[in-house]
């Protein structure tokens, strides 16, 4: 089972139970939306660069900072789930 399938199954199972697992599932859903947005931003940057355009370096640094922030949140959530 892939990590994404496992997380999806966990979220779906936890939503109806409430409690700590339900809170984790809701937080994971919010994180998934934010990571999707970051992925879209990175794709736009790549598309612009591949088309010969230029990107403001601060845009790249901001996207990478968001990736690092949300990666840390994801690791924290996974530690909670595994305990």
């Amino acid at each position: 089972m892939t990590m994404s399938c496992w997380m999806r199954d966990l979220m779906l199972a936890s939503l109806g139970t409430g409690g700590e697992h339900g809170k984790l599932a809701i937080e994971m859903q919010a994180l998934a939306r934010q990571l999707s947005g970051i992925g879209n931003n990175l794709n736009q940057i790549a598309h612009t660069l591949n088309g010969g355009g230029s990107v403001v370096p601060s845009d790249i640094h901001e996207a990478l900072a968001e990736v690092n922030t949300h990666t840390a949140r994801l690791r924290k959530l996974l530690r909670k789930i595994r305990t």
Side-chain angles (χ1 to χ4, degrees):
M1 176 180 278
T2 65
M3 177 68 83
S4 61
C5 288
W6 176 75
M7 290 177 67
R8 183 184 64 243
D9 290 348
L10 178 69
M11 285 192 302
L12 291 173
S14 297
L15 281 175
T17 62
E20 184 64 24
H21 289 295
K23 291 176 189 174
L24 288 173
I26 291 168
E27 191 171 346
M28 288 174 67
Q29 286 176 324
L31 182 58
R33 281 191 299 275
Q34 291 167 346
L35 290 172
S36 176
I38 292 169
N40 288 337
N41 289 344
L42 291 172
N43 282 336
Q44 290 173 357
I45 290 169
H47 181 75
T48 299
L49 292 173
N50 287 334
S54 63
V55 177
V56 179
S58 62
D59 290 343
I60 296 170
H61 292 292
E62 183 179 320
L64 291 175
E66 287 185 43
V67 168
N68 289 332
T69 297
H70 295 304
T71 299
R73 280 185 61 204
L74 179 58
R75 287 186 177 136
K76 183 179 176 182
L77 281 172
L78 289 173
R79 279 193 303 273
K80 282 184 181 180
I81 291 167
R82 290 177 179 151
T83 59

